[in-house]
C-alpha cells in the first residue's frame, strides 16, 4: 500500500470515530456506563442507573425537538461483583467509559460533573456520578430530576457546551440594573442572603462594584414563563429546553459566552460532533421506546503477547522487545491475570500457553519464555490466528481478552484480509509498530477494538517501547492497584548519566529502578532522600538483557531519590522508575495524556492535553513538558500550561494544554513528563439553594460540603505516554495558523479610564508573539459580536504584544463622557506577521461605577434593582424595579393578578435589598 492510500485509510478510520458513542437513526447507542471497582456491590445501583437513563431519554427527546433519544446503554459492573445475570464484557472498560460511577471527588462531594477541557463544541472526557447521588432520592430536590441532570451533563460531554451560570461572578451590570448570571433573562427570581441561622436577609452591596456582595444568592421562581435553559438550571421543573438565539443572554458573564459566543442550540447544531446528523434527522412522529440495557462484567485479565521474530527483528530490536516485555511481565501486568506468548515470522509458535500469574516465580518463568532469536519473513495473519487460539483455551472464546501485537514492518501476507476477523473476534487488540514501515492495518485493529496504538523507534535512548508496554494497563477504576511510572528518560554518554526522581506520599510500594545499558556494564549509584547509598551489590544484574534493577523493599522513603550511572565507553542508557500506592486508601497522583486528534491533515490545529490528578482532584502549579517524536526522528518539546488561555479551557483545573503547530508528516509518539506539587479543584453541577414558590422563598438543605483545600503532596515526578497519532500534510511545511482567540478579556472603567486585561495569544495560535492588537468598543453588544470592524476603534499604537501566555494590561482614557451605570462592551483581535487576524475575543462589558463607599442611607445609583422577576405560569414576565428611598415602582404590567402577586411579596418580605 503506497503512502497516499495509507493516509486515506487513516483519515477514514480516525476522523470518523470519537468517543465510541454513535447515533443509530435517531437513537444513541454504545453508551457505556462503568461502575468503579471501588464501589461496593449494591444491585439497586443498577436499577437507579436504568431509571436515570430512561428518564433522560425522554428529556433529551423533548429538549432537541423530538430528534434524538437514548436507544441502548451498557452498564459495566466491577469484576468482584457477584451475579448470574452479568454478560461477559467485550471491549468495554472503565478507562474507556464516558459515564463513570465512582466514589466522590473530594471537591464536589455528590455533585454530578463532566470532566471537560476541550474547545467549544469538542467532546468532554467523561461524566462522573457518585453512588450516593444515584441511591439517595433527597438529592433530587437539590439538583433536579436525575434525567434532566443527565441531559445537562450529556450536553457537556457530547456537544462540548459550557455552563450558563457563574459561581465566581453570579451578578453583572446591565445598563442601570443588576442581573443574575443566567440564561435566559426570563428566568425570574429573587435575591437574598441566607444567614447562619437559615433566615433570609436583604443582600448587601459591595461598594467597590455596586453589585451584591459575596454570599448573596439568586432564588429562581419555581414556576417560570420560559422553558430554557437546561445549561443554567436543570432543577427547575419548567426548564425542558436549551437556549436558542432568541432567548440567549449574551451579556451574562459565564463560561458559555466566553468560550462559545453563541447560543447552546447553535453550538449543538453547528459545532458539535453530531451537527451533520442532527441537521438531517427528522423528528420522531411518536415518543421513543425506553432504552434497552445490557449489564456486563469483566472478570480477570487474559492477555496474549504476539511478538514479531522475523529477520528484521535481529540483534538490537529483538533485545529491546525482550527488555520491554520483561518490564511488562515483571512490573505492569497485575496478579491473577493470565498471560500467553506467541511468536510469528514465516510460521507461528506458542511459546507459552495461558498462565495465571500467582507468584514472582510465575512471572520469571514467563520472562524466560520470551524469544531471543529472529529470522524469516513477517506473516502477521499466522501470528494473529495463533494468538486467538491461545486465548480461546481458557473458556472457549476470546470476548474481552487482550492481544498485544508487536511488529517492526509491513506484512509479507495480506494482513488486510485477516484483520476483519480479528476485529470481529471480540478481543481488545493493542498494536505496537516498532518502525516507520509497519502496516496501517495495525491502527485499524486497535481503533476498532478499543485497543491502543503505539509507534516506537528503535533508537534506544527514546525508551519508547518500554513506555508503550508500561501504558498497557486495563483500569477498573481502582488506581491503588495499578503501577505508576515516575520516570522514563534516556541519554547517550561516555561519562555520567545523572538525575533525580521524586517519590511522593501517594506512591512508594513496589518501587523499582530499572537501568538498561547498551554495551558494557556500568557503575550505578542510587541515593535515598535520607542519604543511604545503593550500589550494584544491592541490585540485580541480568547480563543477557543488559538490565540493572534496584527493587526498594517495603515502602520507598518519600523525597528526592538521586541516581548516577557512570561509564567509560560511549553508550546509551535509559532509566525507568515505577511504583504503586502504599495502601488502598489514598490513590496515587496519575497523569493521562492524549492528542485531541489521532489524525490530522493540517486543516485544524492539534492540541496536546495532560491531566494531572489525585483521586479526581486537579493537581496545579506543576511543570509539564510534552515530547512529540516522529517516526523519522524529529523531536519537538512543548511546555503545557494550565492558565485558562489559548488551548487551555480552564485555569487551575489540573489539565495542562498547548497547541501543537510543528506538525510533520508521518506517525508520531507523545510522552509527557511532570514534576512538582500542589492542587485544588473546580467545575461542578450547579446547586440551587432554594426556590420562590407562590412568592415565598423555600430553602433547600445546605449543599453537601466538598473540600477545596489544596492538595499538599510535596515534590513528585511522573511520566506518561499517549496513544500515537498520524499527520498527512499537503505541503512539506507545517501549516500557519492565526493567533488563538482570546477568551479571558475583562474590562473595568474607573472615572474616565478603561483598563483591559487578557492573556497574550501567540503568532501561531499560542506559540510565539503576536504582531499587533486591534481593540474596538460599542454600546451595542450584538453589533460588536456580529461585526467587529463596525465597532469604535481604540488607539493601540502604544501596545507591544508580549510572548504568548503573558498577562496583558492596557489602559486608555475615554474621549467621551459616560454616565454612571452605563455599560460599554469591548472586544479584541490580534494579528500575526502576515496580518492574519484571530477570531474576535469574548465580549467584555465595562460599567461606569460611581466611586465608593457611600455614607449610610445614601443610595447606589446603579442599583435600581430588580427586586423580583415574577412569572406564575403566564405568558409575559413582570419586572419590578423597587428603587431605594425616593424612587417608586416605575414599571408594572397592567394585569391585576400580576400586580397583586408583586405587591404581596414585596410587603411580606419588606424588600429593599439595596437600601
Amino acid at each position: 500500500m503506497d503512502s497516499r492510500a495509507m493516509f486515506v485509510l487513516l483519515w477514514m478510520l480516525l476522523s470518523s470515530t470519537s468517543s465510541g458513542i454513535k447515533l443509530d437513526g435517531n437513537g444513541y447507542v454504545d453508551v457505556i456506563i462503568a461502575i468503579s471497582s471501588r464501589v461496593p456491590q449494591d444491585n439497586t445501583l443498577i436499577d437507579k442507573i436504568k431509571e436515570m437513563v430512561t428518564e433522560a431519554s425522554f428529556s433529551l427527546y423533548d429538549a432537541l425537538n423530538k430528534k434524538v433519544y437514548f436507544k441502548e446503554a451498557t452498564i459495566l459492573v466491577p469484576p468482584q461483583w457477584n451475579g448470574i445475570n452479568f454478560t461477559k464484557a467485550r471491549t468495554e472498560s472503565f478507562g474507556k467509559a464516558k459515564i463513570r460511577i465512582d466514589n466522590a471527588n473530594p471537591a464536589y462531594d455528590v455533585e454530578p460533573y463532566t470532566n471537560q477541557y476541550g474547545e467549544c463544541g469538542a467532546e468532554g472526557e467523561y461524566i462522573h456520578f457518585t453512588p450516593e447521588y444515584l441511591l439517595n432520592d433527597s438529592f433530587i430536590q437539590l439538583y433536579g430530576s436525575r434525567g434532566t441532570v443527565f441531559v445537562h451533563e450529556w450536553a457537556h460531554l457530547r456537544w462540548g457546551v459550557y455552563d450558563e451560570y457563574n459561581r465566581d461572578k453570579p451578578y453583572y451590570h446591565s445598563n442601570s440594573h443588576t442581573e443574575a448570571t443566567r440564561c435566559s433573562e426570563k428566568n425570574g427570581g429573587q435575591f437574598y442572603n441566607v444567614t447562619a441561622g437559615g433566615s433570609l436577609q436583604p443582600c448587601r452591596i459591595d461598594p467597590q462594584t455596586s453589585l451584591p456582595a459575596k454570599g448573596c444568592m439568586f432564588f429562581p421562581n419555581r414556576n417560570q414563563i420560559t422553558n430554557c435553559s437546561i445549561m443554567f438550571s436543570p432543577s427547575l421543573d419548567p426548564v425542558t429546553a436549551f437556549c436558542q438565539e432568541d432567548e440567549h443572554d449574551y451579556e451574562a458573564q459565564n463560561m458559555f459566552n466566553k468560550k462559545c459566543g453563541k447560543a447552546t442550540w447553535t453550538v449543538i447544531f453547528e459545532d458539535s460532533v453530531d451537527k451533520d446528523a442532527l441537521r438531517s434527522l427528522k423528528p420522531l412522529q411518536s415518543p421513543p421506546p425506553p432504552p434497552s440495557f445490557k449489564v456486563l462484567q469483566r472478570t480477570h485479565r487474559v492477555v496474549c503477547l504476539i511478538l514479531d521474530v522475523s529477520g528484521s527483528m535481529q540483534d538490537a530490536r529483538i533485545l529491546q522487545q525482550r527488555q520491554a516485555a520483561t518490564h511488562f511481565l515483571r512490573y505492569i501486568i497485575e496478579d491473577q491475570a493470565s498471560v500467553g506468548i506467541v511468536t510469528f515470522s514465516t510460521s507461528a509458535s506458542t511459546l507459552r500457553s495461558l498462565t495465571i500469574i500467582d507468584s514472582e516465580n510465575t512471572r520469571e518463568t514467563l520472562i524466560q519464555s520470551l524469544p531471543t532469536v529472529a529470522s524469516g519473513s513477517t506473516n502477521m495473519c499466522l501470528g494473529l490466528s495463533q494468538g486467538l487460539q491461545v486465548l480461546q483455551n481458557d473458556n472457549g472464546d476470546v470476548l474481552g481478552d487482550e492481544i498485544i501485537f508487536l511488529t517492526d514492518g509491513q506484512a509479507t501476507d495480506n494482513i488486510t484480509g485477516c484483520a476483519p476477523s480479528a476485529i470481529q473476534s471480540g478481543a481488545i487488540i493493542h498494536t505496537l509498530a516498532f518502525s516507520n514501515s509497519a502496516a496501517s492495518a495495525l491502527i485499524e485493529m486497535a481503533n476498532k477494538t478499543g485497543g491502543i496504538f503505539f509507534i516506537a523507534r528503535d533508537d534506544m535512548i527514546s525508551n519508547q517501547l518500554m513506555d508503550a508496554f508500561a501504558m498497557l494497563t486495563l483500569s477498573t477504576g481502582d488506581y491503588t492497584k495499578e503501577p505508576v511510572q515516575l520516570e522514563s528518560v534516556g541519554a547517550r554518554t561516555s561519562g555520567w548519566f545523572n538525575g533525580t526522581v521524586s517519590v511522593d506520599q501517594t506512591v512508594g510500594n513496589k518501587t523499582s529502578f530499572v537501568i538498561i545499558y547498551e554495551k558494557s556494564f556500568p557503575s550505578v549509584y542510587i541515593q535515598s532522600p535520607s542519604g543511604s547509598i545503593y550500589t550494584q551489590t544491592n541490585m540485580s544484574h541480568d547480563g543477557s538483557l543488559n538490565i540493572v534493577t534496584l527493587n526498594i523493599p517495603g515502602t520507598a522513603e518519600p523525597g528526592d531519590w538521586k541516581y548516577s550511572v557512570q561509564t567509560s565507553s560511549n553508550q546509551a542508557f535509559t532509566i525507568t522508575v515505577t511504583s504503586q500506592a502504599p495502601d488502598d486508601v489514598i490513590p496515587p497522583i496519575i497523569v493521562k495524556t492524549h492528542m485531541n486528534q489521532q489524525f490530522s491533515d493540517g486543516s485544524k490545529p492539534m492540541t496536546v492535553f495532560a491531566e494531572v490528578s489525585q483521586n479526581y482532584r486537579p493537581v496545579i502549579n506543576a511543570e509539564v513538558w510534552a515530547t512529540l517524536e516522529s517516526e523519522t526522528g524529529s523531536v519537538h518539546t512543548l511546555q503545557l500550561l494550565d492558565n485558562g488561555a489559548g488551548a487551555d479551557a480552564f485555569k487551575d483545573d489540573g489539565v495542562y494544554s498547548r497547541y501543537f503547530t510543528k506538525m510533520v508528516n508521518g506517525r508520531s509518539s507523545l510522552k509527557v513528563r511532570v514534576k512538582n506539587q500542589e492542587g485544588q479543584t473546580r467545575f461542578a453541577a450547579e446547586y440551587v439553594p432554594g426556590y420562590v414558590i407562590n412568592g415565598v422563598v423555600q430553602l433547600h438543605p445546605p449543599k453537601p460540603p466538598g473540600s477545596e483545600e489544596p492538595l499538599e503532596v510535596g515534590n513528585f515526578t511522573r511520566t506518561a505516554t499517549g496513544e500515537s497519532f498520524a499527520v498527512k500534510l499537503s505541503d512539506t511545511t507545517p501549516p500557519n495558523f492565526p493567533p488563538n482567540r482570546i477568551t479571558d478579556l475583562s474590562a473595568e472603567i474607573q472615572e474616565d479610564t478603561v483598563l483591559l486585561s487578557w492573556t497574550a495569544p501567540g503568532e501561531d495560535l499560542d506559540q510565539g508573539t503576536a504582531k499587533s492588537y486591534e481593540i474596538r468598543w460599542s454600546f451595542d453588544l450584538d453589533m460588536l459580536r456580529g461585526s467587529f470592524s463596525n465597532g469604535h476603534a481604540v488607539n493601540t499604537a502604544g501596545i507591544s504584544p508580549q510572548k504568548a501566555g503573558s498577562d496583558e494590561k492596557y489602559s486608555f482614557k475615554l474621549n467621551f463622557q459616560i454616565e454612571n451605570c452605563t455599560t460599554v462592551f469591548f472586544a479584541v483581535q490580534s494579528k500575526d506577521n502576515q496580518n492574519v487576524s484571530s477570531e474576535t475575543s469574548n465580549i467584555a462589558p465595562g460599567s461606569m461605577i460611581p466611586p465608593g463607599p457611600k455614607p449610610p442611607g445614601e443610595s447606589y445609583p446603579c442599583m435600581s434593582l430588580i427586586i423580583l422577576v415574577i412569572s406564575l405560569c403566564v405568558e409575559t414576565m413582570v419586572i419590578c424595579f423597587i428603587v431605594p428611598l425616593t424612587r417608586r415602582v416605575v414599571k408594572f404590567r397592567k394585569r391585576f393578578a400580576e400586580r397583586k402577586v408583586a405587591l404581596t411579596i414585596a410587603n411580606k418580605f419588606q424588600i429593599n435589598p439595596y437600601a
Side-chain angles (χ1 to χ4, degrees), residues 1 308 310-312 344-347 375-383 405 407-418 437-439:
M1 180 181 293
D308 187 347
S310 61
S312 56
F344 67 92
S345 57
T346 306
S347 59
S375 64
S377 57
T378 309
N379 196 317
M380 296 187 188
C381 287
L382 286 180
F405 190 92
T407 183
D408 75 337
Q410 292 182 336
T412 52
D413 60 338
N414 185 9
I415 189 174
T416 56
C418 62
S437 59

Side-chain angles (χ1 to χ4, degrees), residues 1-7 9 410 416 440:
M1 180 181 293
D2 62 32
S3 61
R4 180 178 177 83
M6 181 186 75
F7 278 101
L9 174 61
Q410 292 182 336
T416 56
S440 59

Side-chain angles (χ1 to χ4, degrees), residues 301-495:
R301 194 175 179 191
V302 181
V303 180
C304 184
L305 303 180
I306 304 179
L307 306 176
D308 187 347
V309 292
S310 61
S312 56
M313 287 287 294
Q314 291 183 75
D315 302 325
R317 285 183 176 176
I318 194 73
L319 177 60
Q320 289 184 55
Q321 179 177 258
R322 286 176 62 212
Q323 292 165 342
T326 294
H327 187 70
F328 175 78
L329 294 170
R330 189 171 282 160
Y331 301 110
I332 306 302
I333 189 72
E334 60 268 37
D335 289 338
Q336 302 306 311
S338 295
V339 179
I341 301 174
V342 166
T343 60
F344 67 92
S345 57
T346 306
S347 59
S349 302
T350 299
L351 301 187
R352 193 76 186 181
S353 58
L354 288 178
T355 303
I356 296 176
I357 297 179
D358 55 9
S359 66
E360 294 302 316
N361 288 336
T362 305
R363 293 179 184 272
E364 295 304 316
T365 300
L366 285 165
I367 290 169
Q368 294 303 315
S369 301
L370 291 171
T372 58
V373 295
S375 64
S377 57
T378 309
N379 196 317
M380 296 187 188
C381 287
L382 286 180
L384 278 172
S385 176
Q386 188 78 6
L388 289 169
Q389 289 182 30
V390 168
L391 290 176
Q392 288 178 342
N393 290 338
D394 63 338
N395 59 4
D397 65 54
V398 302
L399 295 180
D401 296 345
E402 293 174 80
I403 288 173
I404 299 175
F405 190 92
L406 185 149
T407 183
D408 75 337
Q410 292 182 336
T412 52
D413 60 338
N414 185 9
I415 189 174
T416 56
C418 62
S421 61
I423 292 169
Q424 292 299 318
S425 69
I428 300 170
I429 305 177
H430 308 291
T431 53
L432 282 62
F434 197 28
S435 75
N436 59 4
S437 59
S440 59
L442 298 177
I443 301 178
E444 180 184 13
M445 288 191 294
N447 186 266
K448 290 187 175 180
T449 65
I452 299 173
F453 168 71
F454 294 101
I455 65 161
R457 294 177 58 235
D458 54 7
D459 176 9
M460 180 178 166
I461 65 171
S462 71
N463 217 23
Q464 287 178 339
L465 198 59
M466 287 280 286
D467 296 335
F469 269 97
M471 292 300 293
L472 293 173
T473 60
L474 196 65
S475 178
T476 64
D478 186 357
Y479 293 105
T480 64
K481 302 294 193 297
E482 297 180 20
V484 178
Q485 194 172 61
L486 308 187
E487 182 64 285
S488 172
V489 66
R492 180 173 293 277
T493 181
S494 57

